[in-house]
Amino acid sequence: MSEASAPHAPAIGIIGGTGLTQLEGLEITGERNVDTPWGAPSAPLVMGRLGGVPVVFLARHGDPHRIPPHQVNYRANLWALQSVGVKAVVGVNAVGGIHAAMGPAQIVVPDQLIDYTWGRPSTFFEGELEHVTHIDFTDPYTERLRKALKTAALDRGVHCIDFGVYAATQGPRLETAAEVRRLERDGCDLIGMTGMPEAVLAAELELEYACLALVVNWAAGKSDHIITMDDIQAAIDEGMSGVRATLTRFLQGGY
């Protein structure tokens, strides 16, 4: 299923979403364009060091930010990271908050997800197969990786919620208030557009995977005003420093 890993490659990959097209503090040592059986990734892989630790960074929406959630080539992205030796991936996601404790600028490490997307290529196991493959996806996020992120946040004094059900919606539009009420009845705490199929593709490649979510707005109907891009940008500006501090400490922790 995988290409040969590059020698001496960093074992950690970070996929940055909205607000994290570039990773501040990353000492870039090189870039790599990777050809995959699934086409081109969203952007070149950026090889570097963060906090003195080797890491591979990939801008999920491209650099500049230009690829909408439903058109991201998730298969190429995950394959490319694995092909250079990445063993664990942290997906950074901008999300909307449903749960009362998950307001703007709050950082969350969810423990479950529900997939509401449609029409996205969502598996490596299709086409000319020798046999049908079903993977276990009971726990979509790697618990050891989740705990390491929570510990890193605490070490840096960053408030972090370590539970939550992530609702992966299609986008690129935001949801209606009625849709949010439905998601809440389903047990969802957060809404994002890029959590799937990224998580399941990582699982198919046997990569450890966790989501580090930054809440950038209340979900539709959860506040008394409409959602604006100015409000979202303000939450990104407020919360992204905590995301970067958490990632830096996580890498220094020697995961």
Side-chain angles (χ1 to χ4, degrees), residues 1 38 75 123-127 129 131 133-135 204-205:
M1 201 64 194
W38 317 99
R75 290 192 293 189
T123 181
F124 294 108
F125 297 115
E126 63 182 16
L129 300 176
H131 56 82
T133 300
H134 304 283
I135 66 163
E204 288 188 351
L205 292 175

Side-chain angles (χ1 to χ4, degrees), residues 118-250:
W118 50 269
R120 302 181 182 189
S122 58
T123 181
F124 294 108
F125 297 115
E126 63 182 16
E128 298 295 326
L129 300 176
E130 294 181 2
H131 56 82
V132 176
T133 300
H134 304 283
I135 66 163
D136 180 81
F137 202 50
T138 303
D139 296 304
Y141 304 114
T142 304
E143 185 62 21
R144 188 170 75 99
L145 190 52
R146 290 184 62 253
K147 288 182 177 178
L149 288 169
K150 174 61 182 283
T151 298
L154 292 175
D155 286 349
R156 286 298 177 92
V158 176
H159 185 259
C160 175
I161 297 174
D162 66 345
F163 69 89
V165 178
Y166 180 117
T169 59
Q170 180 69 2
R173 68 167 177 85
L174 299 175
E175 298 73 30
T176 68
E179 287 171 331
V180 171
R181 290 194 295 271
R182 172 202 172 195
L183 296 175
E184 189 170 21
R185 288 194 299 270
D186 284 353
C188 299
D189 301 303
L190 302 165
I191 306 175
M193 300 176 188
T194 55
M196 283 290 284
E198 193 170 279
V200 72
L201 293 170
E204 288 188 351
L205 292 175
E206 299 182 354
L207 298 173
E208 297 187 13
Y209 182 87
C211 168
L212 185 63
L214 174 64
V215 182
V216 299
N217 60 273
W218 285 112
K222 287 297 176 179
S223 67
D224 58 1
H225 61 278
I226 64 170
I227 301 167
T228 69
M229 291 309 298
D230 286 343
D231 290 339
I232 289 174
Q233 189 59 54
I236 290 173
D237 292 342
E238 180 181 351
M240 196 53 68
S241 61
V243 170
R244 294 189 182 101
T246 298
L247 290 172
T248 301
R249 183 69 189 97
F250 162 73

Side-chain angles (χ1 to χ4, degrees), residues 57-162:
F57 177 75
L58 174 61
R60 183 186 290 115
H61 297 281
D63 186 9
H65 187 286
R66 59 183 175 77
I67 306 172
H70 65 295
Q71 292 186 322
V72 171
N73 192 338
Y74 296 95
R75 290 192 293 189
N77 286 352
L78 273 298
W79 186 279
L81 288 169
Q82 192 222 34
S83 74
V84 298
V86 165
K87 304 297 183 185
V89 175
V90 176
V92 179
N93 300 83
V95 300
I98 299 175
H99 191 287
M102 300 179 186
Q106 177 63 57
I107 293 174
V108 184
V109 182
D111 61 343
Q112 275 294 333
L113 65 79
I114 301 177
D115 187 11
Y116 299 92
T117 65
W118 50 269
R120 302 181 182 189
S122 58
T123 181
F124 294 108
F125 297 115
E126 63 182 16
E128 298 295 326
L129 300 176
E130 294 181 2
H131 56 82
V132 176
T133 300
H134 304 283
I135 66 163
D136 180 81
F137 202 50
T138 303
D139 296 304
Y141 304 114
T142 304
E143 185 62 21
R144 188 170 75 99
L145 190 52
R146 290 184 62 253
K147 288 182 177 178
L149 288 169
K150 174 61 182 283
T151 298
L154 292 175
D155 286 349
R156 286 298 177 92
V158 176
H159 185 259
C160 175
I161 297 174
D162 66 345

